[in-house]
Amino acid sequence: AHMAAAGGEFAALNAFYAKKEQADAFAIARYEKKAKFFWNKFYANTKGFAASSKQRHYLDKEFGEQLAFLQLRATSQGRKHFVGLEVGCGIGHAIAPLLELFPDLLFYACDISPRAIGILKRDESLPHSRIAAFVCDIQRDALVLPPIPALATAVLAPAPDFITLVFVLSTIAPEHMPGIAAKLHAALAPGGFLYFRDYAQGDAKHVRLQQAPAERKLGPDFYARPDGTRAYFFSETFVTKLFTEAGFAVRQCQLMHITVVNHKEQLEMHRVWVQAVLEKPCP
């Protein structure tokens, strides 16, 4: 009878876990606390490093019109440079094509991973006099902009004319996103733009992660990947509301649908991203 009762308890326990729809509070807190650890590990991993080593040439194609406008405005104001800030810069492969395209562009570049910033600083192909790279956890740290070597004589670090936030916000729990949006709004120069691109609901990765075990489901549309990094999947409505409430004017917000074909494995992946152009209105 005792064995039967014990068996019944185990069956009830298994039924409880089978019904469980997401991770418990302890697991969610663990992923939150160890975010920097997991990203450092990502950049130490050969696969992760290789994936982050592909230069992102789409920024100038998607946002080139606004970048050219900011460049022209800086020139009309008598400035020799215009300035960008990339949040979540990784090892620098989004800023590199832009620095090459715009010789008068300077960049602040920050990332949560000290390892990524170390790799960026050792990259001899980058024009380091035009870059101020620094470690910053955009969720927890104050956003303190360091001096850019090319502006060594400047008394104050100039506010960025634009900010890029590309596949970064999705790695952070949604309850912390309003604080980050407000922080970026405060840092951006009036009349400046924030360029946003990130995972959307219905993306191939979203569909795959919906099949993940419960302990990796951290909340609605929010998951832990096998390597411990996290991914949130946005809707247009969420993005519009998030940045509007932070004080931005939404100039563009749309879904981008792309089919990626893996010819080797004969697979098609339907990728969906949210892309937005957000402006900080002049007072």
Side-chain angles (χ1 to χ4, degrees), residues 121-149:
K121 286 183 173 181
R122 292 190 299 272
D123 186 345
E124 295 179 0
S125 70
L126 292 171
H128 289 286
S129 65
R130 294 164 57 199
I131 304 168
F134 61 107
V135 176
C136 178
D137 178 344
I138 196 63
Q139 176 187 321
R140 296 175 178 84
D141 300 342
L143 183 54
V144 180
L145 300 174
I148 299 172

mmCIF file of all heavy atoms in Angstrom, residues 121-149:
data_model
loop_
_atom_site.group_PDB
_atom_site.id
_atom_site.type_symbol
_atom_site.label_atom_id
_atom_site.label_comp_id
_atom_site.label_asym_id
_atom_site.label_seq_id
_atom_site.Cartn_x
_atom_site.Cartn_y
_atom_site.Cartn_z
ATOM 1 N N LYS A 121 38.655 45.816 -29.230
ATOM 2 C CA LYS A 121 39.795 46.726 -29.022
ATOM 3 C C LYS A 121 41.086 46.188 -29.630
ATOM 4 O O LYS A 121 41.996 46.964 -29.951
ATOM 5 C CB LYS A 121 39.993 46.994 -27.527
ATOM 6 C CG LYS A 121 38.938 47.923 -26.931
ATOM 7 C CD LYS A 121 39.225 48.208 -25.465
ATOM 8 C CE LYS A 121 38.294 49.268 -24.913
ATOM 9 N NZ LYS A 121 38.575 49.566 -23.484
ATOM 10 N N ARG A 122 41.165 44.863 -29.798
ATOM 11 C CA ARG A 122 42.374 44.267 -30.377
ATOM 12 C C ARG A 122 42.286 44.104 -31.901
ATOM 13 O O ARG A 122 43.237 43.672 -32.532
ATOM 14 C CB ARG A 122 42.641 42.894 -29.739
ATOM 15 C CG ARG A 122 43.051 42.970 -28.269
ATOM 16 C CD ARG A 122 43.542 41.628 -27.754
ATOM 17 N NE ARG A 122 42.527 40.586 -27.826
ATOM 18 C CZ ARG A 122 41.641 40.339 -26.855
ATOM 19 N NH1 ARG A 122 41.625 41.086 -25.759
ATOM 20 N NH2 ARG A 122 40.761 39.361 -26.989
ATOM 21 N N ASP A 123 41.149 44.458 -32.475
ATOM 22 C CA ASP A 123 40.947 44.297 -33.915
ATOM 23 C C ASP A 123 41.694 45.406 -34.662
ATOM 24 O O ASP A 123 41.283 46.568 -34.657
ATOM 25 C CB ASP A 123 39.448 44.350 -34.233
ATOM 26 C CG ASP A 123 39.155 44.050 -35.705
ATOM 27 O OD1 ASP A 123 40.098 44.082 -36.527
ATOM 28 O OD2 ASP A 123 37.975 43.805 -36.018
ATOM 29 N N GLU A 124 42.780 45.052 -35.310
ATOM 30 C CA GLU A 124 43.634 46.036 -35.969
ATOM 31 C C GLU A 124 43.022 46.621 -37.239
ATOM 32 O O GLU A 124 43.529 47.610 -37.776
ATOM 33 C CB GLU A 124 45.001 45.415 -36.286
ATOM 34 C CG GLU A 124 45.790 45.043 -35.034
ATOM 35 C CD GLU A 124 47.136 44.401 -35.346
ATOM 36 O OE1 GLU A 124 47.446 44.253 -36.555
ATOM 37 O OE2 GLU A 124 47.856 44.051 -34.395
ATOM 38 N N SER A 125 41.934 46.029 -37.722
ATOM 39 C CA SER A 125 41.301 46.544 -38.940
ATOM 40 C C SER A 125 40.398 47.751 -38.656
ATOM 41 O O SER A 125 39.957 48.425 -39.584
ATOM 42 C CB SER A 125 40.475 45.440 -39.616
ATOM 43 O OG SER A 125 39.321 45.135 -38.841
ATOM 44 N N LEU A 126 40.129 48.017 -37.375
ATOM 45 C CA LEU A 126 39.231 49.111 -37.018
ATOM 46 C C LEU A 126 40.000 50.406 -36.762
ATOM 47 O O LEU A 126 41.115 50.375 -36.226
ATOM 48 C CB LEU A 126 38.422 48.747 -35.765
ATOM 49 C CG LEU A 126 37.397 47.626 -35.919
ATOM 50 C CD1 LEU A 126 36.838 47.219 -34.566
ATOM 51 C CD2 LEU A 126 36.266 48.037 -36.855
ATOM 52 N N PRO A 127 39.405 51.559 -37.101
ATOM 53 C CA PRO A 127 40.048 52.857 -36.848
ATOM 54 C C PRO A 127 39.807 53.288 -35.396
ATOM 55 O O PRO A 127 38.861 54.019 -35.091
ATOM 56 C CB PRO A 127 39.343 53.794 -37.837
ATOM 57 C CG PRO A 127 37.978 53.209 -37.988
ATOM 58 C CD PRO A 127 38.117 51.723 -37.821
ATOM 59 N N HIS A 128 40.654 52.854 -34.482
ATOM 60 C CA HIS A 128 40.381 53.007 -33.053
ATOM 61 C C HIS A 128 40.367 54.461 -32.573
ATOM 62 O O HIS A 128 39.780 54.752 -31.536
ATOM 63 C CB HIS A 128 41.367 52.166 -32.239
ATOM 64 C CG HIS A 128 41.106 50.697 -32.366
ATOM 65 N ND1 HIS A 128 40.047 50.073 -31.744
ATOM 66 C CD2 HIS A 128 41.742 49.724 -33.074
ATOM 67 C CE1 HIS A 128 40.046 48.787 -32.050
ATOM 68 N NE2 HIS A 128 41.071 48.550 -32.859
ATOM 69 N N SER A 129 40.961 55.354 -33.335
ATOM 70 C CA SER A 129 40.904 56.776 -32.931
ATOM 71 C C SER A 129 39.479 57.313 -33.047
ATOM 72 O O SER A 129 39.143 58.325 -32.426
ATOM 73 C CB SER A 129 41.839 57.618 -33.797
ATOM 74 O OG SER A 129 41.400 57.632 -35.148
ATOM 75 N N ARG A 130 38.639 56.604 -33.798
ATOM 76 C CA ARG A 130 37.262 57.057 -34.027
ATOM 77 C C ARG A 130 36.242 56.267 -33.194
ATOM 78 O O ARG A 130 35.043 56.436 -33.360
ATOM 79 C CB ARG A 130 36.921 56.945 -35.518
ATOM 80 C CG ARG A 130 37.741 57.887 -36.393
ATOM 81 C CD ARG A 130 37.677 57.504 -37.872
ATOM 82 N NE ARG A 130 36.333 57.453 -38.383
ATOM 83 C CZ ARG A 130 35.964 56.812 -39.497
ATOM 84 N NH1 ARG A 130 36.877 56.145 -40.211
ATOM 85 N NH2 ARG A 130 34.708 56.831 -39.903
ATOM 86 N N ILE A 131 36.736 55.413 -32.304
ATOM 87 C CA ILE A 131 35.850 54.547 -31.519
ATOM 88 C C ILE A 131 36.162 54.671 -30.034
ATOM 89 O O ILE A 131 37.324 54.644 -29.629
ATOM 90 C CB ILE A 131 36.027 53.068 -31.922
ATOM 91 C CG1 ILE A 131 35.801 52.869 -33.425
ATOM 92 C CG2 ILE A 131 35.085 52.165 -31.130
ATOM 93 C CD1 ILE A 131 36.242 51.498 -33.924
ATOM 94 N N ALA A 132 35.116 54.799 -29.231
ATOM 95 C CA ALA A 132 35.248 54.676 -27.781
ATOM 96 C C ALA A 132 34.455 53.442 -27.363
ATOM 97 O O ALA A 132 33.221 53.471 -27.310
ATOM 98 C CB ALA A 132 34.714 55.920 -27.075
ATOM 99 N N ALA A 133 35.163 52.335 -27.130
ATOM 100 C CA ALA A 133 34.511 51.070 -26.788
ATOM 101 C C ALA A 133 34.569 50.863 -25.277
ATOM 102 O O ALA A 133 35.610 51.092 -24.657
ATOM 103 C CB ALA A 133 35.200 49.916 -27.510
ATOM 104 N N PHE A 134 33.464 50.438 -24.702
ATOM 105 C CA PHE A 134 33.414 50.280 -23.242
ATOM 106 C C PHE A 134 32.384 49.240 -22.839
ATOM 107 O O PHE A 134 31.430 48.970 -23.564
ATOM 108 C CB PHE A 134 33.122 51.622 -22.557
ATOM 109 C CG PHE A 134 31.793 52.263 -22.924
ATOM 110 C CD1 PHE A 134 30.729 52.281 -22.027
ATOM 111 C CD2 PHE A 134 31.618 52.870 -24.171
ATOM 112 C CE1 PHE A 134 29.519 52.873 -22.360
ATOM 113 C CE2 PHE A 134 30.412 53.479 -24.511
ATOM 114 C CZ PHE A 134 29.350 53.474 -23.606
ATOM 115 N N VAL A 135 32.621 48.640 -21.670
ATOM 116 C CA VAL A 135 31.699 47.643 -21.131
ATOM 117 C C VAL A 135 30.554 48.364 -20.439
ATOM 118 O O VAL A 135 30.774 49.271 -19.636
ATOM 119 C CB VAL A 135 32.418 46.705 -20.127
ATOM 120 C CG1 VAL A 135 31.429 45.726 -19.500
ATOM 121 C CG2 VAL A 135 33.542 45.949 -20.829
ATOM 122 N N CYS A 136 29.324 47.965 -20.766
ATOM 123 C CA CYS A 136 28.152 48.546 -20.119
ATOM 124 C C CYS A 136 27.004 47.550 -20.169
ATOM 125 O O CYS A 136 26.669 47.042 -21.244
ATOM 126 C CB CYS A 136 27.749 49.854 -20.817
ATOM 127 S SG CYS A 136 26.271 50.629 -20.118
ATOM 128 N N ASP A 137 26.436 47.263 -19.020
ATOM 129 C CA ASP A 137 25.199 46.496 -18.942
ATOM 130 C C ASP A 137 24.079 47.522 -19.028
ATOM 131 O O ASP A 137 23.782 48.216 -18.055
ATOM 132 C CB ASP A 137 25.154 45.724 -17.619
ATOM 133 C CG ASP A 137 23.871 44.931 -17.433
ATOM 134 O OD1 ASP A 137 22.882 45.192 -18.158
ATOM 135 O OD2 ASP A 137 23.837 44.051 -16.547
ATOM 136 N N ILE A 138 23.479 47.664 -20.198
ATOM 137 C CA ILE A 138 22.531 48.747 -20.434
ATOM 138 C C ILE A 138 21.315 48.670 -19.514
ATOM 139 O O ILE A 138 20.660 49.673 -19.260
ATOM 140 C CB ILE A 138 22.100 48.775 -21.929
ATOM 141 C CG1 ILE A 138 21.443 50.115 -22.292
ATOM 142 C CG2 ILE A 138 21.202 47.585 -22.262
ATOM 143 C CD1 ILE A 138 22.331 51.322 -22.160
ATOM 144 N N GLN A 139 21.044 47.484 -18.969
ATOM 145 C CA GLN A 139 19.930 47.341 -18.027
ATOM 146 C C GLN A 139 20.286 47.897 -16.649
ATOM 147 O O GLN A 139 19.500 48.622 -16.048
ATOM 148 C CB GLN A 139 19.538 45.868 -17.901
ATOM 149 C CG GLN A 139 18.440 45.608 -16.870
ATOM 150 C CD GLN A 139 18.209 44.128 -16.650
ATOM 151 O OE1 GLN A 139 18.237 43.334 -17.589
ATOM 152 N NE2 GLN A 139 17.976 43.737 -15.406
ATOM 153 N N ARG A 140 21.485 47.583 -16.170
ATOM 154 C CA ARG A 140 21.830 47.891 -14.777
ATOM 155 C C ARG A 140 22.733 49.109 -14.600
ATOM 156 O O ARG A 140 22.711 49.751 -13.552
ATOM 157 C CB ARG A 140 22.514 46.670 -14.142
ATOM 158 C CG ARG A 140 21.630 45.451 -14.037
ATOM 159 C CD ARG A 140 22.407 44.245 -13.519
ATOM 160 N NE ARG A 140 21.554 43.076 -13.366
ATOM 161 C CZ ARG A 140 21.248 42.246 -14.355
ATOM 162 N NH1 ARG A 140 21.750 42.463 -15.564
ATOM 163 N NH2 ARG A 140 20.450 41.214 -14.150
ATOM 164 N N ASP A 141 23.575 49.405 -15.594
ATOM 165 C CA ASP A 141 24.587 50.453 -15.434
ATOM 166 C C ASP A 141 24.093 51.810 -15.923
ATOM 167 O O ASP A 141 23.262 51.891 -16.835
ATOM 168 C CB ASP A 141 25.863 50.093 -16.221
ATOM 169 C CG ASP A 141 26.498 48.799 -15.766
ATOM 170 O OD1 ASP A 141 26.189 48.345 -14.645
ATOM 171 O OD2 ASP A 141 27.301 48.228 -16.537
ATOM 172 N N ALA A 142 24.644 52.862 -15.344
ATOM 173 C CA ALA A 142 24.441 54.200 -15.901
ATOM 174 C C ALA A 142 25.178 54.262 -17.235
ATOM 175 O O ALA A 142 26.253 53.669 -17.392
ATOM 176 C CB ALA A 142 24.990 55.255 -14.942
ATOM 177 N N LEU A 143 24.601 54.961 -18.200
ATOM 178 C CA LEU A 143 25.224 55.067 -19.521
ATOM 179 C C LEU A 143 26.148 56.285 -19.519
ATOM 180 O O LEU A 143 25.731 57.412 -19.790
ATOM 181 C CB LEU A 143 24.148 55.196 -20.604
ATOM 182 C CG LEU A 143 24.618 55.235 -22.055
ATOM 183 C CD1 LEU A 143 25.496 54.030 -22.392
ATOM 184 C CD2 LEU A 143 23.428 55.304 -23.007
ATOM 185 N N VAL A 144 27.423 56.033 -19.182
ATOM 186 C CA VAL A 144 28.430 57.101 -19.102
ATOM 187 C C VAL A 144 29.320 56.990 -20.338
ATOM 188 O O VAL A 144 30.046 56.002 -20.505
ATOM 189 C CB VAL A 144 29.268 56.976 -17.813
ATOM 190 C CG1 VAL A 144 30.304 58.090 -17.749
ATOM 191 C CG2 VAL A 144 28.361 57.001 -16.584
ATOM 192 N N LEU A 145 29.264 58.000 -21.196
ATOM 193 C CA LEU A 145 30.000 57.947 -22.464
ATOM 194 C C LEU A 145 31.452 58.365 -22.257
ATOM 195 O O LEU A 145 31.717 59.470 -21.774
ATOM 196 C CB LEU A 145 29.325 58.861 -23.496
ATOM 197 C CG LEU A 145 27.865 58.515 -23.819
ATOM 198 C CD1 LEU A 145 27.264 59.578 -24.731
ATOM 199 C CD2 LEU A 145 27.756 57.133 -24.448
ATOM 200 N N PRO A 146 32.406 57.508 -22.625
ATOM 201 C CA PRO A 146 33.827 57.841 -22.464
ATOM 202 C C PRO A 146 34.302 58.744 -23.604
ATOM 203 O O PRO A 146 33.625 58.866 -24.635
ATOM 204 C CB PRO A 146 34.507 56.468 -22.546
ATOM 205 C CG PRO A 146 33.612 55.669 -23.433
ATOM 206 C CD PRO A 146 32.211 56.154 -23.189
ATOM 207 N N PRO A 147 35.456 59.388 -23.464
ATOM 208 C CA PRO A 147 35.964 60.236 -24.547
ATOM 209 C C PRO A 147 36.363 59.417 -25.776
ATOM 210 O O PRO A 147 36.900 58.318 -25.649
ATOM 211 C CB PRO A 147 37.176 60.928 -23.921
ATOM 212 C CG PRO A 147 37.569 60.070 -22.761
ATOM 213 C CD PRO A 147 36.321 59.428 -22.271
ATOM 214 N N ILE A 148 36.087 59.964 -26.938
ATOM 215 C CA ILE A 148 36.522 59.361 -28.202
ATOM 216 C C ILE A 148 37.891 59.950 -28.526
ATOM 217 O O ILE A 148 38.061 61.169 -28.505
ATOM 218 C CB ILE A 148 35.516 59.669 -29.332
ATOM 219 C CG1 ILE A 148 34.137 59.097 -28.985
ATOM 220 C CG2 ILE A 148 36.007 59.098 -30.665
ATOM 221 C CD1 ILE A 148 33.029 59.502 -29.947
ATOM 222 N N PRO A 149 38.911 59.119 -28.796
ATOM 223 C CA PRO A 149 40.272 59.642 -29.016
ATOM 224 C C PRO A 149 40.358 60.780 -30.029
ATOM 225 O O PRO A 149 41.094 61.743 -29.815
ATOM 226 C CB PRO A 149 41.033 58.399 -29.505
ATOM 227 C CG PRO A 149 40.325 57.256 -28.852
ATOM 228 C CD PRO A 149 38.881 57.639 -28.827
#
